[in-house]
Amino acid sequence: MSSASDNPLPAFEPDWLALREETDADARATAPLDPLRVHLAGRGAGPSARPIRVADLGCGTGSQGRWLAPKLSGAQKWVLYDIDPGLLSLAGAYMPASAADGSPVSARMCLRDLASITGPDLAGFDLVTGSALLDLLTPQELKSVAGAVAEAGCAALFTLSVVGRVELFPSDPDDPALAKAFNEHQRRGGRLGPDAAGAAGEIFADLGYRTLTFPSPWRLCPERIPLTTAWLRGWVGAALEQDPEAAAGGYLERRLGECDRGELGAVVHHTDLLLLPDGAEGDTGLS
């Protein structure tokens, strides 16, 4: 999803989003769902109550809705926000029709820029959600999103924020320098990159929210060669764009060969955040 500023968010191709969807789904933490259900029930939303109202920010092709809607019981009304009409169309076309208990799920699409969404836009929603979103924001954009959520008084669930840690198996002497360069690339244009989860927790805490954090690592393995190959090319490419001296010549070709032979594994660490507007203290901590 793009910003209205002079620092637009990167665009993502549908093929890349489709390639990563299964791994995203496996990585997202399920532990936030129980406290989220309790919160929703306390608001009078869910089974045998009114529909749960959800705003999905930067929905892309809709993977967050496809993952979350079938895990919540009770009727649901989603609004999918994105600035890319092609991605938004795909999100609407493949949104689940049923909740966990068979209750109906409906969705409408809204072509909107993230920077233009305000508290009144989110009024009446029970939950604001987004996936792989926070690390793409600048501090000011994150403050704007958090302020809108807090003004509306709803909960938020943000999944798959990068935290700057990558583990490759087998390891290589150039891995640390590449990881450092990639993290700096993520921060270009003032974006938060691997600092996003921590920044979000602090900003929401200042707004009276309880912040719960949960690890949600991508596990790339020999069974996921196409995704591992695509990720590896992107990871190394971004790192070398940031610092051409981060790896010796032949690193990418060597790693791609290991991948093709089923010899390469990787764990890309992420964090999921559940933010509850009850003012309670507590944080599960990152792992």
Side-chain angles (χ1 to χ4, degrees):
M1 190 170 192
S2 297
S3 161
S5 70
D6 295 328
N7 185 32
L9 303 191
F12 295 101
E13 294 295 329
D15 288 349
W16 164 246
L17 297 177
L19 187 61
R20 63 176 285 174
E21 181 158 353
E22 182 180 359
T23 299
D24 283 352
D26 289 345
R28 290 187 184 99
T30 57
L33 298 181
D34 281 342
L36 176 59
R37 292 181 185 111
V38 171
H39 173 77
L40 294 172
R43 290 176 61 98
S48 303
R50 65 167 174 79
I52 302 167
R53 297 164 296 203
V54 185
D56 187 356
L57 303 184
C59 66
T61 60
S63 67
Q64 182 82 334
R66 287 190 291 276
W67 177 81
L68 181 57
K71 289 178 168 56
L72 298 177
S73 294
Q76 300 168 41
K77 294 184 177 181
W78 287 64
V79 179
L80 311 177
Y81 292 92
D82 208 287
I83 199 171
D84 186 318
L87 297 181
L88 198 58
S89 178
L90 288 171
Y94 294 103
M95 189 69 185
S98 300
D101 60 352
S103 298
V105 174
S106 64
R108 66 179 178 89
M109 283 62 72
C110 188
L111 190 65
R112 285 287 295 274
D113 194 305
L114 177 61
S116 73
I117 293 176
T118 64
D121 293 320
L122 301 179
F125 284 101
D126 300 297
L127 175 67
V128 170
T129 193
S131 182
L133 174 66
L134 296 185
D135 45 82
L136 302 176
L137 304 180
T138 66
Q140 187 55 48
E141 289 166 343
L142 178 56
K143 289 178 182 177
S144 177
V145 169
V149 171
E151 185 178 346
C154 51
L157 176 65
F158 294 110
T159 64
L160 299 178
S161 294
V162 297
V163 296
R165 280 203 301 135
V166 172
E167 299 174 81
L168 293 115
F169 311 97
S171 62
D172 185 279
D174 287 333
D175 292 346
L178 285 166
K180 180 180 179 181
F182 179 82
N183 290 341
E184 290 307 310
H185 189 275
Q186 292 287 92
R187 296 185 177 104
R188 294 202 309 180
R191 296 190 178 97
L192 285 159
D195 307 315
E202 293 176 3
I203 290 169
F204 274 95
D206 288 343
L207 293 168
Y209 274 65
R210 179 165 58 107
T211 301
L212 304 176
T213 63
F214 305 86
S216 52
W218 259 18
R219 300 189 186 279
L220 305 178
C221 56
E223 292 76 18
R224 288 173 170 163
I225 288 177
L227 177 61
T228 306
T229 297
W231 169 80
L232 186 63
R233 289 184 181 278
W235 186 70
V236 174
L240 293 181
E241 182 180 339
Q242 183 70 23
D243 178 6
E245 305 301 320
Y251 176 92
L252 179 59
E253 291 73 18
R254 185 168 65 255
R255 287 304 208 180
L256 288 173
E258 292 171 345
C259 187
D260 289 341
R261 295 190 298 272
E263 298 171 355
L264 182 68
V267 178
V268 184
H269 292 274
H270 299 83
T271 288
D272 294 354
L273 292 93
L274 176 63
L275 303 138
L276 299 173
D278 58 9
E281 297 296 328
D283 190 328
T284 65
L286 297 177
S287 96

